[in-house]
Amino acid sequence: MTRPLLVGAVAYTPNVVPIWEGMRDYFADGPAEMDFVLFSNYGRQVEALLDGAIDIAWNTNLAWVRTVQRTGGACRALAMRDTDTVFRTVFVARAGSALGGLEKLRGKRLALGSKDSAQAAILPVYYLRRAGLGEDDVELVRINSDVGKHGDTGRSELDALRAVLEDRADAAAIGGNTWDAIGAGELMPGGFEAVWTSPPYSHCNFTALPALSDERARPWVEQLLAMDWDNPGHRRILELEGLRRWVPPQLDGYASLFEAVREQGIPARW
Amino acid sequence: MVRILLDLVERVGAVAAGASVTVPLGDADPGIVADWCARTGNELLGVSGGVATVRRGRRPEPPEHLLPGTRVWLYTNFDCNLACDYCCVRSSPRTPRRALGADRVARLAREAAGAGAGELLLTGGEPFLLPDIADLAASCTAVLPTTLLTNAMLLRGRRLEALRRMDRDRLALQVSLDSATPDQHDRHRGAGSWQRAVTGIRTALAEGFRVRVAATLPAGHDGALAPFHAFLDELGIAREDQLVRTLARRGVAEAGVELTVDSLIPEITVTADGVYWHPVAADHDDQLVTTELFPLADAIARVRQRFAEYRARADEAAQWFPCA
């Protein structure tokens, strides 16, 4: 009997347990049985993938970039959420701040989330540079409150927003998911406003190494892509994980992060 | 004020789906918490003392087969030709008739169908004591598949004629029979009742009706079941129509399982006195939902709401138990 595929995920919320138990149960009925292992941070998970302790890693975009760097590009992405193909970073300020556009941040203080968060730290600096703003032009207020989880908890982004409320920063860079979670400025029109929104980029994906053969990966991916929003049993898992359907990976969406990591000298591990 | 949104995201995001958190409102309007919950798919459980309690995720709906209102019971009369010593609604020949009557039964049947019910069940006392039982059955079978509960002892003369007027395709009979031999049945229901019930079952089968047989037995009485099923097989009762119910401590029963509104999956039950949680307690105020029979949809909605609350409370208790 073939042993189940072992999928790694990072425990950034208590919900990862019902999510992955649901996934395991879903795959138990098909040709590609799986089990899962939870890690406390992405560094450990990537190491486990490289060591062969797990077959597939549910990776953030930074964990993907690091795996590509560590394997010389030999790894491959198997699938991602539909929501991972259109991830964005939102620069947020107090309503009425008159900070429309990145150029207006010159001479201002920008709160960033944890240093290993692509959406709330690495890519915001990349976008500033593309707008011609270096570190001398914008004061970066770094809030490293969930390092290791690549910003997944959203905690550092909420802390960055608190810094704006407490006048320790003029604006904050957060993920579009956090912006939606606080109502995207619509619940309290006098509270926050979005002053700039990034182009879409890719976020998480299932990452595998060449050691996982196509013969073993293909049935698992096919069954993954067959999860159906209209099936109540599948939907419960999809809702918890924040997607409507699984899709093939869009690797072009990682180009900006590869560039940002290179420019900023982000190490391949820490 | 906007700080409440950050606190909500952080605190709710830190717990598992189904768990609840409290968030101090500070100077925020409670309405903003309700708006946030509606937008993000969480549930505001309440606001008290300047603190909002929020559940992560929405309360799950009960499975469809457990949804109250899928079956609707109608107690047609309450009086009975038998005085069983464990009757859950205290029916007997001395019990005054409390009849729903043909007009109300017809309206209840229509409203039950309109509210999404899939099945009606008519029960007495003994429904065949009613001179218009055929009309009652007809108004039910006109809208939904119907089961008529009877002791089958009266299927002679004009009552047999009434049976013959009923719709064989839409109506099944459910006959009470507790054992394969007279002793046990007659001990609780009266001498000679077993033989007359068996005769009635044979009559109904011969008339072309589907007959279910339901035994009422004390909990843990499994040993007596094999001869009982063999007897019913011989009578020609399909295995899926051979039912065994556990005796409930209700009505005149001195022993039996305890059943309360939070331990019973509700089945909407209508009597002349009101709408009840479950047919086993249709004579007990603790399970009275409302004295207003109409519109029936309102009572069904009320039962569904209470059931969802009980389930949620039980789920919360279940979450705590393993840690206690």
Side-chain angles (χ1 to χ4, degrees):
Chain A
M1 193 177 116
T2 316
R3 73 170 176 84
L5 284 174
L6 202 52
V7 179
V10 167
Y12 66 91
T13 155
N15 274 347
V16 297
V17 174
I19 288 170
W20 291 100
E21 288 189 340
M23 292 283 277
R24 183 186 57 193
D25 293 347
Y26 167 71
F27 280 94
D29 297 332
E33 205 180 331
M34 64 156 275
D35 202 347
F36 66 94
V37 178
L38 297 179
F39 296 89
S40 74
N41 62 79
Y42 282 98
R44 290 230 181 274
Q45 176 167 291
V46 170
E47 294 299 334
L49 180 68
L50 296 174
D51 291 347
I54 56 174
D55 300 303
I56 297 170
W58 177 231
N59 269 343
T60 58
N61 43 2
L62 181 63
W64 162 250
V65 168
R66 284 176 164 164
T67 309
V68 170
Q69 290 174 329
R70 300 276 302 275
T71 61
C75 60
R76 66 191 189 282
L78 301 177
M80 62 201 330
R81 302 171 297 189
D82 51 358
T83 44
D84 285 313
T85 66
V86 289
F87 214 86
R88 295 171 193 268
T89 291
V90 183
F91 285 59
V92 175
R94 273 186 175 279
S97 66
L99 285 177
L102 294 180
E103 175 58 32
K104 294 279 181 61
L105 288 172
R106 189 179 296 278
K108 304 291 185 186
R109 300 161 299 171
L110 177 67
L112 299 178
S114 290
K115 61 184 180 180
D116 58 5
S117 167
Q119 66 269 20
I122 300 169
L123 286 170
V125 171
Y126 170 85
Y127 296 129
L128 289 176
R129 288 191 182 179
R130 292 297 167 285
L133 298 168
E135 290 194 13
D136 294 337
D137 301 311
V138 178
E139 181 186 342
L140 301 178
V141 180
R142 291 189 178 270
I143 299 173
N144 291 313
S145 40
D146 64 348
V147 172
K149 294 190 168 62
H150 294 187
D152 274 357
T153 70
R155 162 98 186 276
S156 66
E157 297 170 40
L158 296 172
D159 288 342
L161 290 168
R162 291 189 178 106
V164 174
L165 291 178
E166 292 159 10
D167 199 30
R168 290 183 281 119
D170 300 297
I174 62 174
N177 54 340
T178 300
W179 180 234
D180 286 339
I182 64 165
E186 293 164 13
L187 284 178
M188 256 189 214
F192 290 118
E193 63 182 10
V195 297
W196 187 79
T197 301
S198 79
Y201 53 86
S202 292
H203 205 271
C204 298
N205 73 51
F206 285 109
T207 308
L209 299 191
L212 180 68
S213 69
D214 279 343
E215 288 70 28
R216 290 211 71 201
R218 195 179 307 113
W220 187 83
V221 172
E222 283 172 0
Q223 195 172 346
L224 180 77
L225 299 187
M227 287 185 85
D228 181 3
W229 178 261
D230 293 325
N231 179 320
H234 302 178
R235 185 166 175 164
R236 187 182 66 82
I237 304 165
L238 297 172
E239 282 181 331
L240 283 172
E241 185 54 33
L243 72 154
R244 287 184 77 94
R245 64 190 182 96
W246 297 100
V247 297
Q250 290 194 13
L251 298 183
D252 292 350
Y254 292 114
S256 55
L257 186 58
F258 274 106
E259 211 169 335
V261 164
R262 191 169 56 248
E263 280 179 7
Q264 295 170 40
I266 307 285
R269 65 178 93 187
W270 62 42
Chain B
M1 220 165 86
V2 71
R3 191 178 292 273
I4 184 74
L5 296 175
L6 309 183
D7 293 345
L8 282 165
V9 173
E10 183 162 343
R11 293 196 185 199
V12 174
V15 299
S20 303
V21 295
T22 54
V23 184
L25 286 172
D27 57 356
D29 181 342
I32 196 75
V33 181
D35 291 347
W36 180 84
C37 287
R39 182 186 176 104
T40 55
N42 297 292
E43 185 177 0
L44 175 59
L45 298 178
V47 176
S48 175
V51 173
T53 303
V54 176
R55 179 205 313 278
R56 183 167 189 179
R58 290 202 176 89
R59 185 177 297 174
E61 286 290 319
E64 199 159 313
H65 68 281
L66 296 185
L67 205 57
T70 51
R71 344 168 69 180
V72 172
W73 291 78
L74 305 179
Y75 267 84
T76 54
N77 50 316
F78 279 105
D79 53 319
C80 191
N81 55 315
L82 289 179
C84 307
D85 65 6
Y86 49 51
C87 181
C88 64
V89 290
R90 296 181 270 245
S91 287
S92 78
R94 293 182 303 282
T95 302
R97 176 165 296 175
R98 281 133 59 207
L100 278 168
D103 291 346
R104 286 196 294 188
V105 166
R107 182 175 171 190
L108 287 164
R110 286 195 305 272
E111 291 195 10
E119 182 185 8
L120 295 171
L121 298 101
L122 297 174
T123 188
E126 172 49 52
F128 275 94
L129 289 176
L130 294 170
D132 57 353
I133 185 59
D135 296 333
L136 268 56
S139 61
C140 292
T141 55
V143 291
L144 284 172
T146 302
T147 297
L148 178 59
L149 278 72
T150 175
N151 55 41
M153 292 170 60
L154 304 175
L155 300 181
R156 299 184 306 275
R158 63 180 171 81
R159 288 166 177 138
L160 179 56
E161 289 306 314
L163 175 68
R164 287 174 173 155
R165 298 214 313 273
M166 295 179 189
D167 185 343
R168 288 160 179 75
D169 295 330
R170 299 271 279 180
L171 182 121
L173 296 179
Q174 180 170 315
V175 180
S176 304
L177 191 77
D178 292 345
S179 51
T181 54
D183 294 358
Q184 184 181 343
H185 182 97
D186 287 359
R187 189 161 57 244
H188 296 290
R189 296 177 183 265
S193 59
W194 183 89
Q195 186 56 58
R196 289 177 66 188
V198 171
T199 302
I201 290 169
R202 293 187 199 279
T203 300
L205 289 169
E207 291 293 336
F209 283 88
R210 177 179 180 181
V211 178
R212 294 191 199 102
V213 173
T216 304
L217 300 175
H221 212 78
D222 295 354
L225 291 182
F228 181 62
H229 286 305
F231 175 69
L232 295 181
D233 290 344
E234 270 179 42
L235 274 180
I237 306 297
R239 274 294 167 117
E240 66 266 27
D241 288 337
Q242 301 177 15
L243 317 173
V244 175
R245 304 172 295 198
T246 302
L247 179 61
R249 199 173 77 80
R250 283 277 166 178
V252 294
E254 291 176 354
V257 294
E258 294 288 350
L259 300 171
T260 62
V261 284
D262 46 6
S263 67
L264 267 175
I265 295 169
E267 297 191 17
I268 304 291
T269 301
V270 187
T271 78
D273 305 312
V275 180
Y276 288 79
W277 189 258
H278 194 278
V280 80
D283 194 36
H284 292 75
D285 287 346
D286 66 316
Q287 299 206 12
L288 174 66
V289 176
T290 173
T291 55
E292 299 292 327
L293 272 52
F294 302 106
L296 183 62
D298 286 359
I300 293 174
R302 196 181 297 189
V303 170
R304 286 184 177 177
Q305 169 71 24
R306 280 176 63 184
F307 182 50
E309 288 168 8
Y310 290 138
R311 279 175 56 86
R313 219 177 291 157
D315 288 348
E316 280 165 19
Q319 280 190 4
W320 281 102
F321 260 58
C323 310

